[in-house]
Amino acid sequence: PLQPKWWHTATVYQVYPRSFCDSNGDGIGDLPGITAKLDYLKKLGIDIIWLSPIYKSPMDDNGYDISDYRDIAPEFGTLADFDQLVAEAKNRGIGIMLDLVVNHTSDEHPWFLQSRQELDNLFRDFYIWRKPAPDGGPPNGLKSSFGGPAWTLDPATGEYYLHMFSRRQPDLNWENEKVRTEIYDMMNWWLERGIAGFRMDVIDYIGKQADRELVKDGPHLHDYLQEMNAKTFGSRDILTVGEAWSATPGAALLYSGRERRELSMIFQFEHVTQQWDAVYGKWRPKPFDLVKLKTVLSKWQLALSEDGWNSLFWGNHDLPRAVSRYGNVSGYHVESAKMLATVLHLLKGTPFVYQGEEIGMTNVPFTSIEQYRDIETINMHRLHVEAGLSPEEFIRGANENGRDNARTPMQWSAAPYGGFSTGVPWIEVNPNYPKVNAEAAIRDEKSIWNHYRKLIALRKTHPIIIYGEYRSWLDQHPDVFVYTRTLDRSWIIVVANFTPRDIALSLPTELAINGECLICNYEPVHMIGETVELKPYETFAIECK
Ligand code: TEU
Ligand code: CA
């Protein structure tokens, strides 16, 4: 049923360029810095690098606000630096996947500068302009993800323009065919440069119908994606991943089903958003609930088992650090980070590693709003405090779930600033860098890093990890995740303790196994019977052929 694809066995590594490696001491990560670290990534075993945006940008949202789709932000380098990165990566068998941000542009993009000039400008219809409501206020109640109305009045013409994110990120009008043609041309221009894929920012928004306050999953969303596929990457064997916070399993099949000619896969976020508070959202996360997490992961595993394909991730540049969110950084940092990696990488799908996750980087203990750089955190701080939340409580939420947790500089060594830069970094380095850093991790055979390396390699030698049928067990067990993968006569059992306690686990008799231990975070386990003694955050996978 599933037709094998090269990206089924691949592991993707996400680089957030601003925070990865600074080559010239200005405190900002850059393209030559990434090129300098390709051997590190090669050693880890990854196949694809997803680069968060590198295009020219005023950096209102760290590059997710693009002012020139065909040039590089000067602080990141030049097109020559980019070509060199692509070539050097290719030499090592690594592909470069670009972040395609086409729901919106920067307000400094020439299209928008034109568009805002006058009502009959040729580019007016590149964006979404509406007359004020009768009372002069915004046309309707649409809200920006970063707080406040999604409409801003532009005095030049007396109309409002739509921006689902900051007011410096005006939404493009996808109903305008000229907009779509421009975007497809631009995509082809990058494809010609030899890139291996696109990650598509908030792609579920592009079919929006603003007047109906309908943003996600608009009626023409899939028409546009089919058109895009046909006009750009459809004839090439690249990897495409759509970011779709709204996606249900049914929607995922529309995006990635084998007959659909749309995308390779999507990012869905159900395992993330189910942990948010109904009122305060991510700023007041609910306590971790393993049963709910397992329910969501299993649902997605089963829904995309025969068609479509899952992306697998714990973190990205918008999310907290995985080990801080799902693991235990106070007593079982290494054990819990390895456990999480094992659970994720042995599921069916393509794993995504977010930079620093492979060394167990953690959330950051900021104490004041001045230390944050993220536009969402800064805006939401203002709005929540105005609405009566105490600044302390907001900071507590931000330290748990804010986006800057993932954006502090990559910790390369115990050198000043974690070896990220010789100058003062644009955002503070996590103070734990003397202990948590890549240099130390590579040296230590038992490190989190070496565990990731092993997992990534296992996918290359074990088709059962790629295609084996998934089944979960003990769904209601509050502390332990148990699942199996089966292919032909072989099967793998994966067991993971999500708590800092010893657990005596009773297993169904059919799960008794005697085989090869593929990976573990304590001593290898080859055999289990009806009961298993698990140490804190213990995990292992046994294969029986
Ligand atoms: O994220 C989409 C998005 O919806 C996030 O902003 C999300 O809502 C937020 O982090 C949750 O609180 C993408 C990018 O990944 C993000 O970095 C950009 O800021 C955003 O789009 C706008 O381009
Ligand atoms: Ca730099």
Side-chain angles (χ1 to χ4, degrees):
L2 278 174
Q3 200 199 332
K5 302 280 187 189
W6 65 267
W7 36 262
H8 286 164
T9 48
T11 299
V12 184
Y13 186 93
Q14 184 189 353
V15 165
Y16 197 67
R18 207 176 179 78
S19 306
F20 192 61
C21 179
D22 175 19
S23 70
N24 62 355
D26 67 355
I28 300 174
D30 45 53
L31 295 179
I34 301 169
T35 305
K37 295 298 183 186
L38 284 171
D39 285 330
Y40 167 85
L41 296 175
K42 175 73 192 161
K43 204 163 170 191
L44 185 60
I46 60 105
D47 304 274
I48 301 274
I49 297 170
W50 154 23
L51 280 185
S52 274
I54 48 157
Y55 318 88
K56 199 160 171 238
S57 160
M59 300 286 167
D60 190 47
D61 185 16
N62 289 354
Y64 284 90
D65 50 318
I66 298 168
S67 56
D68 186 347
Y69 285 109
R70 301 188 194 208
D71 205 353
I72 306 292
E75 54 268 67
F76 291 164
T78 61
L79 279 168
D81 294 328
F82 178 79
D83 289 339
Q84 190 180 358
L85 171 61
V86 171
E88 297 254 347
K90 202 168 197 177
N91 285 340
R92 292 164 177 82
I94 296 174
I96 300 291
M97 174 161 98
L98 286 185
D99 213 316
L100 185 75
V101 188
V102 291
N103 173 68
H104 46 269
T105 68
S106 160
D107 63 342
E108 292 184 26
H109 193 289
W111 297 338
F112 189 72
L113 295 178
Q114 285 287 329
S115 181
R116 76 191 315 175
Q117 298 259 323
E118 61 265 315
L119 292 171
D120 57 357
N121 189 279
L122 281 175
F123 288 87
R124 186 67 172 178
D125 205 27
F126 266 50
Y127 295 86
I128 300 169
W129 294 96
R130 294 291 182 270
K131 291 191 178 57
D135 68 354
N140 62 36
L142 282 175
K143 295 274 175 283
S144 152
S145 272
F146 295 159
W151 298 99
T152 290
L153 182 65
D154 197 35
T157 54
E159 288 189 346
Y160 283 83
Y161 65 90
L162 180 74
H163 53 89
M164 293 312 301
F165 294 91
S166 100
R167 61 176 62 207
R168 305 209 49 196
Q169 293 167 296
D171 277 50
L172 283 165
N173 175 18
W174 272 74
E175 288 177 6
N176 181 348
E177 199 187 326
K178 285 194 199 133
V179 168
R180 305 204 300 276
T181 304
E182 286 283 352
I183 289 168
Y184 305 152
D185 283 352
M186 175 272 284
M187 290 173 69
N188 285 323
W189 189 81
W190 286 105
L191 286 165
E192 295 288 307
R193 280 194 122 84
I195 62 164
F198 288 113
R199 175 267 186 186
M200 302 183 182
D201 195 61
V202 283
I203 205 65
D204 53 344
Y205 281 23
I206 63 171
K208 75 180 73 66
Q209 296 201 332
D211 301 314
R212 297 166 58 201
E213 302 197 17
L214 173 67
V215 177
K216 298 165 179 178
D217 301 313
H220 297 300
L221 167 62
H222 293 284
D223 300 335
Y224 297 154
L225 287 174
Q226 285 169 7
E227 180 183 76
M228 176 194 281
N229 177 307
K231 301 219 157 151
T232 64
F233 55 80
S235 53
R236 302 173 189 252
D237 194 10
I238 69 158
L239 168 61
T240 52
V241 191
E243 185 202 27
W245 285 73
S246 65
T248 57
L253 286 169
L254 296 180
Y255 288 106
S256 65
R258 75 173 75 78
E259 305 296 342
R260 299 282 304 169
R261 295 176 189 278
E262 294 188 24
L263 307 178
S264 313
M265 63 185 93
I266 58 158
F267 292 129
Q268 60 85 14
F269 292 86
E270 204 178 331
H271 59 300
V272 173
T273 51
Q274 60 148 358
Q275 308 167 45
W276 293 359
D277 183 80
V279 178
Y280 292 94
K282 66 192 243 181
W283 308 103
R284 196 181 279 172
K286 294 186 205 155
F288 177 66
D289 182 335
L290 180 65
V291 172
K292 282 200 182 136
L293 178 71
K294 291 193 292 187
T295 307
V296 170
L297 291 178
S298 292
K299 171 169 116 186
W300 281 85
Q301 286 288 299
L302 297 175
L304 304 188
S305 63
E306 298 297 319
D307 194 14
W309 189 254
N310 272 296
S311 67
L312 308 170
F313 65 96
W314 290 131
N316 67 28
H317 65 293
D318 293 332
L319 301 176
R321 289 287 177 179
V323 67
S324 300
R325 179 66 196 138
Y326 304 98
N328 182 327
V329 293
S330 29
Y332 298 96
H333 185 186
V334 173
E335 294 82 353
S336 65
K338 289 181 180 175
M339 182 279 288
L340 291 168
T342 308
V343 166
L344 194 80
H345 285 240
L346 300 184
L347 289 171
K348 190 169 183 171
T350 298
F352 288 71
V353 179
Y354 180 68
Q355 69 180 39
E357 179 187 328
E358 76 280 17
I359 56 170
M361 279 180 64
T362 64
N363 281 355
V364 74
F366 287 160
T367 50
S368 138
I369 191 66
E370 267 72 60
Q371 292 170 287
Y372 286 92
R373 298 288 175 270
D374 167 33
I375 179 170
E376 181 189 50
T377 309
I378 293 168
N379 286 355
M380 289 300 178
H381 173 262
R382 197 188 60 241
L383 293 171
H384 279 87
V385 170
E386 275 169 15
L389 194 72
S390 78
E392 292 71 31
E393 190 170 356
F394 182 85
I395 297 287
R396 209 174 315 129
N399 281 346
E400 269 192 67
N401 247 339
R403 307 200 297 180
D404 278 342
N405 286 305
R407 300 178 181 186
T408 62
M410 175 70 187
Q411 295 163 206
W412 292 105
S413 71
Y417 306 125
F420 160 73
S421 173
T422 53
V424 182
W426 67 278
I427 187 171
E428 285 174 44
V429 181
N430 191 312
N432 64 13
Y433 73 85
K435 224 179 114 213
V436 179
N437 65 68
E439 205 177 273
I442 294 169
R443 238 184 291 122
D444 173 8
E445 220 179 287
K446 295 200 134 80
S447 67
I448 300 168
W449 192 86
N450 274 300
H451 193 89
Y452 268 84
R453 187 176 145 141
K454 221 177 264 173
L455 283 166
I456 293 167
L458 275 176
R459 302 176 58 77
K460 302 278 191 283
T461 49
H462 289 68
I464 186 170
I465 299 174
I466 315 300
Y467 295 114
E469 191 184 325
Y470 169 89
R471 179 170 171 193
S472 70
W473 301 79
L474 308 178
D475 291 343
Q476 295 309 313
H477 198 295
D479 301 323
V480 179
F481 195 173
V482 178
Y483 66 82
T484 51
R485 306 288 308 277
T486 43
L487 188 68
D488 305 325
R489 286 228 179 78
S490 312
W491 59 289
I492 293 179
I493 179 166
V494 180
V495 178
N497 178 0
F498 271 73
T499 77
R501 296 183 302 279
D502 288 325
I503 289 190
L505 181 71
S506 313
L507 286 175
T509 41
E510 55 217 289
L511 288 184
I513 183 171
N514 186 348
E516 183 196 351
C517 185
L518 296 179
I519 192 146
C520 63
N521 62 351
Y522 286 84
E523 294 304 313
V525 180
H526 303 282
M527 201 179 84
I528 49 176
E530 279 172 40
T531 57
V532 197
E533 305 288 333
L534 294 173
K535 299 199 173 66
Y537 295 99
E538 181 162 7
T539 187
F540 55 81
I542 306 176
E543 182 182 28
C544 181
K545 288 194 228 188

